[in-house]
RNA sequence: GCGGACGUGGCGAAAUUGGUAGACGCACGGGACUUAAAAUCCCUUGGCCGAAAGGCCGUGCGGGUUCGAGUCCCGCCGUCCGCACCA
């Protein structure tokens, strides 16, 4: 009688052995081909959640599989450990952010180990370790020296709740991404990284990323937002000039107004002497930036009374408006309006009764009068445009740019949506920016031998704002240049800086440098990076920028950090509400009623697990109940990895049952004689199929194939082939269910660890069936099937099909009009 | 508004280049074993008609291409995601 698989005992035993033998420690000097598998490192928020489990299980299966295929695999883990939750905890619980963070790391590390991930813990790092952020400070200073960092007084997004500056990317619909508070504009001196210097490279580089999802590449492309056009000058009636940018210089003869932003220097100047303009500008600034507001917001303009002279006609003057739809921080903050061929301009022109002149033919009419409220933005030839008449749009664009450049009033330009990366944060729990401000010398880099600039431990969080700024002594230092009293920079770096190079530090972590070039280049780029799609823009763009900056500085000869990217779906769960409409957790209910009150509950939509909806399932107790392999198996089953996975009790039960089924096979293995060609064939097909599925990260398909194989083995009669299939199965399931695989490996008397075993060889002859089922169709509808030898001659197959009783009956004695034979597949008889 | 993805049984899903739709899992139902339960095993399960053999219908909807369409093309509908007054 077969015993039960004791998962808890086996999990602990094998995890201890892997740890003791350092099974998963990657060797830099290994002669094997190298493969770097990385999942996005977690923020140590307290406990791991199901999303982590799914993410790391996927990476682990791939990493373990590649090891078995003979590669030296780097599969490290660390902690994205700086950030605001630690400060929030400090404020709420009075615990130091560092203590809180390291405590969480200890908890989560133990949890990850409990699931048996094959991780190289010898390379573990936390971004809040001075050994890490000190090297980051060194890299920051390198960037300062390379001219990639600058300081700028600028209007910033100020989050009044978190009391910090946010990057544009961290402002969502005008609200702070974390606090949700409405963001204000403030002027502060900030440090910026010149990511825009790399805009072109970052855009072009996307083309090389064959193993990235198109969706992510497109999102980055849109974010970088390259626009080519003409920047040119209008002479204004006050004697000055206004620069505008347009992507449609071809439509220049359709212009009917010039519009400038409320924050445009000219508008500010006009507002000084004119309260009406000042009031209007104020109204523009107050306008919301949320999607809904923009859609409903009316186009508003204020006619300044000034006019601009058309560059091609000194007699032609255009009114200059201040308009609420023109943004100061895009292009040059001013546009020329061509209502006939731009919807926004048309809305504006209709409202203020400005001329609307057609300059691109829509193919139906060339008349200058433009009717209707829908701008024509399609292709066509230029009309009513003097020397441009008859040209195609692209041709006309070039012609106008040539004239502008030749006559010196404009220039072909590229404008980017991407802005430089503001990295200053007025927070404590982050990497201190290694700069000292001196009244005489200005900002001075901290000398290298004084790195790391460490955070002071004795800080308080009883009031909002930056504790570094309030600290009695920390910021007071002597200027490294002149020795006079000076002040430390009290801002810290955006935590996205920390995650922009951790993958390099994993590959190489000397104590005296950020990394060793040669060693890091052996591992990089990351072959497969796995994480959530929520990082499609911010983290992935910053990391790409950082890598290119390192290359620019000659520190690392790698262009792209992540050769392959996979964005996995979320783990979801049903939601429940009590009779009073409060969220209930799955533990609060049983059989459709709330346990505490006996009241019936309502079941809501399946949503991403979140604390606020109380639909989370803590992996901890689940692993203790079912064992690590069952949890891993469930994470890989059913849903394709890029889609959401719904957690369910039935699902984990099913996974657990499968683990027990495996064990009955392994445990019941007994010697037997004889062949079983069909089973051996199934085995080899499964080995090949699972390997392919794992490489493609199609884990759900690999799981299905393994179920099929197990079904086949269970049904097969005892034979040597069956015994062989069971022994081989141990290795095939090992990447996914490593604990039971080790247990079985030892039980059947194999040497060493299955983790060190090689992936089973495939007998390619076994992949090919020697008999095939051929579908027989009449007019494309299945009527019969034939079992024939593989590779049977076309004529034989056709003859067999036409001889089929059913086909004969269907044809009623008439000859077929046509017969199509697809070898080894089907016969279609056209009646 | 712009861009993208998706739509297949009661559910999660498979279906390599157009070639037997629904593999595999979950759930449901029936049965075996058991004093009973759990566990395990076996059978059934897209819909309709039929005792059965068999037939008809079926991949969001409407067209089209093809010997043959879940897959390709055109037009709709719906869901989800990203961006958004970007000149």
């Amino acid at each position: 009688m077969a015993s039960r698989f004791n998962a808890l005992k086996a999990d602990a035993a094998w995890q201890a052995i892997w740890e003791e033998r350092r099974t998963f420690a990657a060797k830099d000097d290994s002669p094997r081909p190298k493969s770097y598998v990385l999942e996005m490192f977690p923020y140590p928020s307290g406990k791991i959640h199901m999303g982590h489990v799914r993410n790391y299980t996927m990476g682990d299966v791939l990493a373990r599989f590649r090891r078995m295929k003979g590669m030296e695999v780097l599969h490290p883990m660390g902690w994205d450990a700086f950030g605001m939750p630690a400060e929030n905890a400090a404020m709420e619980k009075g615990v130091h952010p560092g203590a809180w963070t390291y405590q969480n790391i200890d908890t989560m590390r133990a949890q990850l180990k409990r699931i048996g991930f094959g991780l190289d813990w010898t390379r573990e790092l936390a971004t809040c370790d001075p050994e890490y952020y000190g090297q980051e400070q060194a890299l920051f200073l390198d960037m300062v020296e390379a001219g990639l960092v600058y300081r700028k007084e600028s209007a910033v997004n100020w989050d009044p709740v978190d009391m910090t500056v946010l990057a544009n990317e961290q402002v969502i619909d005008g609200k702070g991404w974390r606090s949700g508070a409405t963001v204000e504009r403030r002027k502060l001196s900030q440090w910026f990284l010149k990511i825009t210097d790399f805009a072109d490279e970052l855009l072009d580089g996307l083309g090389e990323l064959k193993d990235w999802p198109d969706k992510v590449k497109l999102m980055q492309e849109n974010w970088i937002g390259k626009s080519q056009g003409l920047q040119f000058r209008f002479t204004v009636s006050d004697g000055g000039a206004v620069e505008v940018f347009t992507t449609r210089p071809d439509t220049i003869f359709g212009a009917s107004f010039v519009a400038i932003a409320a924050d445009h220097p000219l508008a500010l100047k006009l507002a000084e002497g004119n309260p009406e303009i000042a009031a209007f500008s104020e109204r523009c600034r107050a306008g919301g930036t949320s999607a809904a507001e923009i859609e409903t917001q009316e186009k508003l303009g204020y006619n300044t009374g000034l006019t601009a002279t058309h560059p091609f006609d000194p007699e032609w003057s255009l009114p200059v408006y201040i308009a609420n739809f023109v943004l100061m921080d895009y292009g040059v903050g001013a546009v020329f309006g061509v209502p006939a061929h731009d919807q926004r301009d048309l809305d504006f022109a209709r409202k203020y009764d400005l001329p609307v002149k057609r300059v691109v033919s829509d193919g139906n009419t060339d008349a200058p009068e433009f009717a209707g409220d829908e701008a024509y933005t399609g292709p066509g030839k230029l009309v009513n445009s003097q020397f441009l008449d008859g040209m195609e749009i692209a041709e006309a664009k070039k012609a106008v740019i040539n004239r502008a450049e030749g006559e010196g009033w404009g220039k072909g330009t590229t404008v980017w949506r991407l802005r430089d990366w503001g990295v200053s944060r007025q927070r404590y729990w982050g990497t201190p920016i290694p700069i000292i401000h001196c009244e005489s010398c200005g900002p001075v880099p901290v000398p290298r031998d004084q790195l790391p600039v460490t955070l002071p431990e004795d800080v308080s969080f009883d009031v909002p704002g930056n504790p570094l700024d309030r600290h009695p002594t920390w910021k007071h230092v002597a200027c490294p240049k002149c020795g006079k009293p000076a002040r430390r920079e009290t801002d810290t770096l955006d935590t996205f800086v920390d995650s922009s190079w951790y993958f390099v530090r994993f590959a190489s972590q000397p104590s005296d440098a950020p990394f060793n070039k040669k060693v890091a280049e052996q591992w990089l780029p990351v072959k497969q990076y796995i994480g959530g799609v929520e990082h499609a823009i911010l983290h992935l763009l910053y990391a790409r920028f950082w890598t290119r900056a390192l290359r620019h500085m000659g520190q690392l000869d790698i262009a792209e950090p992540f050769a392959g990217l996979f964005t996995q779906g979320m783990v979801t769960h049903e939601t429940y509400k009590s009779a009073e409409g409060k969220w209930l957790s799955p533990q609060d209910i049983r059989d459709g009623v709330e346990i505490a009150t006996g009241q019936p509950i309502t079941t809501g939509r399946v949503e991403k697990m979140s604390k606020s909806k109380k639909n989370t399932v803590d992996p901890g107790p689940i692993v203790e109940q079912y064992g690590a392999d069952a949890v891993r198996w469930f994470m890989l089953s059913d849903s394709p990895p890029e889609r959401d996975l719904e957690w369910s009790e039935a699902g984990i039960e099913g996974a657990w049952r499968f683990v027990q089924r495996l064990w009955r096979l392994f445990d019941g293995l007994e010697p037997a004689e004889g062949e079983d060609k069909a089973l051996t064939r199934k085995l080899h097909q499964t080995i090949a199929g699972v390997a392919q599925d794992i490489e493609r990260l199609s884990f759900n398909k690999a799981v299905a194939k393994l179920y099929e194989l197990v079904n086949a083995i269970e049904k097969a009669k005892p034979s040597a082939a069956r015994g062989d299939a069971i022994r081989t199965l141990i290795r095939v399931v090992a990447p996914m269910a490593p604990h039971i695989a080790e247990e079985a490996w030892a039980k059947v008397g194999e040497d060493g660890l299955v983790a060190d075993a090689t992936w089973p060889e495939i007998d390619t002859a076994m992949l090919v069936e020697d008999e095939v089922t051929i579908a027989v169709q009449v007019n494309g509808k299945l009527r019969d099937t034939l079992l024939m030898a593989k590779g049977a001659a076309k004529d034989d197959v056709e003859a067999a099909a036409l001889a089929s009783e059913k086909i004969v009956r269907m044809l009623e004695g008439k000859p077929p009009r046509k017969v199509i034979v697809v070898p080894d597949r089907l016969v279609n008889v056209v009646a």
Side-chain angles (χ1 to χ4, degrees):
Chain A
M1 190 63 207
S3 64
R4 271 209 164 183
F5 175 61
N6 186 337
L8 299 194
K9 212 174 131 195
D11 288 357
W14 296 106
Q15 284 160 15
I17 287 172
W18 295 329
E19 175 124 25
E20 183 196 312
R21 299 193 191 175
R22 297 187 162 214
T23 302
F24 301 104
K27 294 176 200 70
D28 290 337
D29 54 3
S30 167
R32 297 167 149 211
K34 293 193 165 61
S35 184
Y36 188 172
V37 176
L38 183 68
E39 301 95 57
M40 292 179 186
F41 67 162
Y43 177 77
S45 56
K47 289 194 283 188
I48 63 166
H49 54 68
M50 281 297 175
H52 292 130
V53 178
R54 191 177 189 207
N55 190 185
Y56 301 140
T57 300
M58 290 179 189
D60 197 39
V61 172
L62 183 65
R64 285 174 177 268
F65 171 73
R66 286 189 175 167
R67 267 175 57 82
M68 293 181 82
K69 292 287 271 184
M71 293 176 180
E72 188 66 27
V73 172
L74 174 56
H75 186 216
M77 181 55 68
W79 312 96
D80 189 12
F82 274 135
M84 296 222 316
E87 289 191 47
N88 293 339
M91 283 183 258
E92 284 160 27
K93 297 170 196 157
V95 59
H96 187 274
W100 183 84
T101 302
Y102 282 107
Q103 172 82 56
N104 290 344
I105 287 174
D106 286 344
T107 306
M108 292 172 72
R109 183 195 302 109
Q111 287 188 297
L112 293 180
K113 289 188 176 180
R114 180 64 192 83
I115 304 168
F117 295 128
L119 292 162
D120 182 353
W121 289 104
T122 68
R123 296 172 189 246
E124 179 185 358
L125 59 82
T127 56
C128 63
D129 296 337
E131 297 77 40
Y132 183 85
Y133 71 71
Q135 300 301 346
E136 185 167 303
Q137 290 166 339
L139 289 175
F140 181 85
L141 295 182
D142 291 341
M143 287 200 183
V144 171
E145 281 169 25
L148 296 175
V149 183
Y150 63 96
R151 193 166 161 78
K152 189 175 75 174
E153 172 88 5
S154 72
V156 295
N157 304 304
W158 178 257
D159 185 319
V161 169
D162 286 341
M163 297 191 63
T164 190
V165 169
L166 300 174
N168 287 327
E169 294 90 322
Q170 293 164 345
V171 180
I172 295 149
D173 289 345
K175 296 191 164 52
W177 72 311
R178 208 187 274 275
S179 72
T182 301
V183 168
E184 298 166 3
R185 305 285 285 170
R186 272 206 191 181
K187 286 247 176 185
L188 279 178
S189 234
Q190 303 285 305
W191 291 100
F192 285 84
L193 301 188
K194 285 191 180 170
I195 189 170
T196 55
D197 277 9
F198 295 80
D200 247 321
E201 273 192 58
L202 289 168
L203 185 63
D204 292 345
L206 292 171
E208 301 157 27
L209 299 172
K210 300 272 174 286
D211 294 321
W212 274 43
D214 290 339
K215 178 188 174 166
V216 174
K217 285 190 275 189
L218 196 66
M219 282 164 72
Q220 293 218 347
E221 194 182 316
N222 291 339
W223 191 265
I224 294 168
K226 182 178 187 173
S227 294
Q228 285 173 303
L230 172 70
Q231 186 175 323
F232 69 101
R233 208 166 48 243
F234 280 105
T235 312
V236 181
S237 52
D238 68 350
V242 146
E243 291 266 349
V244 300
F245 173 76
T246 179
T247 55
R248 292 294 301 274
D250 53 307
T251 63
I252 193 164
F253 290 101
S256 59
F257 63 94
V258 170
I260 61 174
D263 286 322
H264 191 277
L266 178 59
L268 295 177
K269 200 180 96 190
L270 293 169
E272 273 175 31
N274 186 331
E276 213 179 301
I277 292 180
F280 178 81
S281 297
E282 205 43 58
R283 226 178 121 191
C284 290
R285 289 186 200 103
T289 50
S290 80
E293 284 169 303
I294 287 162
E295 279 202 356
T296 54
Q297 202 167 60
E298 239 185 317
K299 304 278 174 284
L300 291 178
Y302 183 93
N303 192 340
T304 60
L306 297 174
T307 58
T309 308
H310 195 282
F312 284 121
D313 183 355
E315 303 299 312
W316 184 358
S317 52
L318 303 163
V320 177
Y321 281 80
I322 298 169
N324 64 343
F325 64 86
V326 182
L327 309 172
M328 190 57 219
D329 52 5
Y330 183 79
V332 286
V335 300
F336 75 105
V338 183
H341 306 292
D342 181 289
Q343 190 58 48
R344 201 189 34 201
D345 293 348
L346 184 61
D347 294 345
F348 190 80
R350 293 291 186 225
K351 184 172 164 80
Y352 292 100
D353 212 14
L354 295 161
V356 182
K357 177 176 156 195
R358 179 194 316 277
V359 286
V360 179
S361 168
D362 63 4
N364 296 320
T365 172
D366 297 349
E369 299 79 33
F370 190 93
D373 288 319
E374 223 169 292
Y376 180 72
T377 54
K381 283 191 164 53
L382 272 289
V383 293
N384 311 316
S385 296
Q386 303 184 14
F387 71 100
L388 301 174
D389 282 353
M391 290 185 186
E392 293 294 335
I393 290 170
E395 200 185 350
K397 281 182 182 175
K398 273 186 212 148
V400 173
I401 291 172
N402 282 342
R403 279 281 283 269
E405 289 180 347
E407 293 167 13
W409 48 267
K411 210 178 154 220
T413 335
T414 302
V415 162
W416 305 88
R417 206 192 89 108
L418 184 70
R419 318 285 155 75
D420 276 336
W421 178 12
V423 292
S424 298
R425 295 291 180 276
Q426 292 66 48
R427 309 300 318 179
Y428 166 76
W429 195 231
T431 300
I433 296 175
I435 296 286
I436 292 164
H437 297 280
C438 170
E439 278 194 19
S440 340
C441 311
V444 181
V446 171
R448 303 273 177 162
D449 60 6
Q450 289 174 27
L451 296 183
V453 176
T454 53
L455 292 164
E457 288 287 319
D458 52 333
V459 285
S460 63
F461 293 88
D462 35 18
V463 283
N466 185 357
L468 290 179
D469 212 28
R470 294 196 301 271
H471 193 278
T473 56
W474 187 77
K475 67 178 172 185
H476 302 297
V477 285
C479 170
K481 241 183 193 167
C482 68
K484 279 191 241 165
R487 185 181 62 81
R488 251 188 221 295
E489 171 68 61
T490 57
D491 285 355
T492 51
L493 290 170
D494 182 3
T495 58
F496 276 110
V497 174
D498 308 334
S499 54
S500 289
W501 72 286
Y502 76 106
F503 44 89
V504 188
R505 182 78 183 166
F506 273 145
S508 166
Q509 40 189 290
S511 58
D512 58 349
F515 52 88
N516 175 290
K517 181 171 189 281
K518 279 218 169 79
V519 176
E521 283 170 358
Q522 284 189 353
W523 291 108
L524 290 164
V526 173
K527 298 291 180 303
Q528 185 64 61
Y529 196 35
I530 307 177
V533 73
E534 67 273 18
H535 292 112
I537 297 171
L538 308 185
H539 162 56
L540 290 168
L541 191 62
Y542 292 148
R544 294 182 61 223
F545 154 68
W546 199 275
T547 305
R548 283 179 184 269
L550 290 176
R551 188 172 71 153
H552 175 79
M553 298 186 294
Q555 295 196 24
L556 192 64
D557 197 17
I558 301 281
E560 289 289 339
F562 313 119
L565 173 71
F566 186 82
T567 54
Q568 102 272 12
M570 300 177 296
V571 181
T572 61
H573 196 282
E574 278 184 332
T575 50
Y576 311 101
K577 274 189 178 174
S578 69
E580 298 96 73
K582 281 194 291 189
W583 296 107
L584 293 174
S585 92
Q587 291 98 52
D588 297 337
I589 62 162
R590 194 188 302 141
D591 302 328
V593 298
E594 185 179 355
I595 295 167
T597 63
Q599 294 289 309
I601 54 120
T602 47
T603 303
R605 319 180 359 157
V606 173
E607 292 192 63
K608 178 185 178 167
M609 284 189 180
S610 74
K611 282 180 190 159
S612 63
K613 302 229 164 85
K614 289 200 175 182
N615 63 339
T616 57
V617 174
D618 184 358
I622 301 284
V623 176
E624 292 313 318
Q625 190 180 349
Y626 296 98
D629 289 343
V631 175
R632 295 167 62 108
W633 189 259
F634 180 44
M635 288 290 120
L636 301 166
S637 306
D638 296 343
S639 284
E642 67 277 11
R643 263 186 244 176
D644 291 351
L645 172 72
E646 189 188 343
W647 176 269
S648 71
E649 199 68 20
I652 182 68
E653 294 272 359
W656 185 81
R657 274 202 300 274
F658 179 73
V659 171
Q660 292 301 335
R661 269 172 83 191
L662 282 176
W663 185 247
R664 282 196 293 277
L665 287 183
F666 298 148
D667 193 38
L669 182 63
E670 273 169 18
E673 292 298 317
E675 290 197 2
D676 186 336
K677 222 172 167 196
L679 184 64
T680 304
R681 180 168 285 129
K682 184 82 191 168
L683 172 68
H684 284 267
Q685 285 169 346
T686 305
I687 298 167
V690 168
Q692 193 181 67
D693 289 338
I694 291 176
E695 273 300 337
R696 293 178 181 173
L697 307 179
S698 299
F699 303 110
N700 58 320
K701 294 185 208 170
V703 162
K705 288 189 176 82
L706 284 164
Y707 272 116
E708 283 190 55
L709 177 62
V710 167
N711 287 344
I713 294 174
E714 283 176 343
K715 285 198 174 72
K717 294 200 176 65
S719 66
R722 185 173 183 273
D724 182 55
I726 293 170
R727 295 176 83 97
T728 309
L729 176 64
I730 297 171
R731 282 183 288 163
V732 184
V733 297
M736 300 171 162
H739 305 89
I740 193 173
E742 294 289 6
E743 194 76 17
W745 191 251
K747 181 164 176 69
V748 303
E750 298 279 4
D751 290 333
L753 296 175
V754 74
D756 291 323
T758 57
W759 186 254
E761 291 292 326
I762 298 157
D763 180 352
T764 46
M766 279 295 183
L767 299 182
V768 190
E769 302 280 357
D770 44 26
E771 277 194 320
V772 288
T773 308
I774 290 174
V776 183
Q777 302 178 330
V778 176
N779 296 333
K781 281 190 181 182
L782 183 71
R783 295 299 171 186
D784 200 3
T785 56
L786 299 170
L787 196 62
M788 302 212 47
K790 186 171 171 82
K794 262 191 166 188
D795 291 350
D796 296 345
V797 177
E798 181 173 337
L802 291 174
S804 152
E805 208 181 295
K806 287 177 192 166
I807 304 308
V808 170
R809 194 174 349 123
M810 296 287 300
L811 287 174
E812 295 170 330
K814 291 173 212 146
R817 284 199 289 161
K818 196 172 172 186
V819 180
I820 285 131
V821 181
V822 181
D824 296 335
R825 277 255 178 207
L826 62 69
V827 179
N828 188 15
V829 179
V830 185

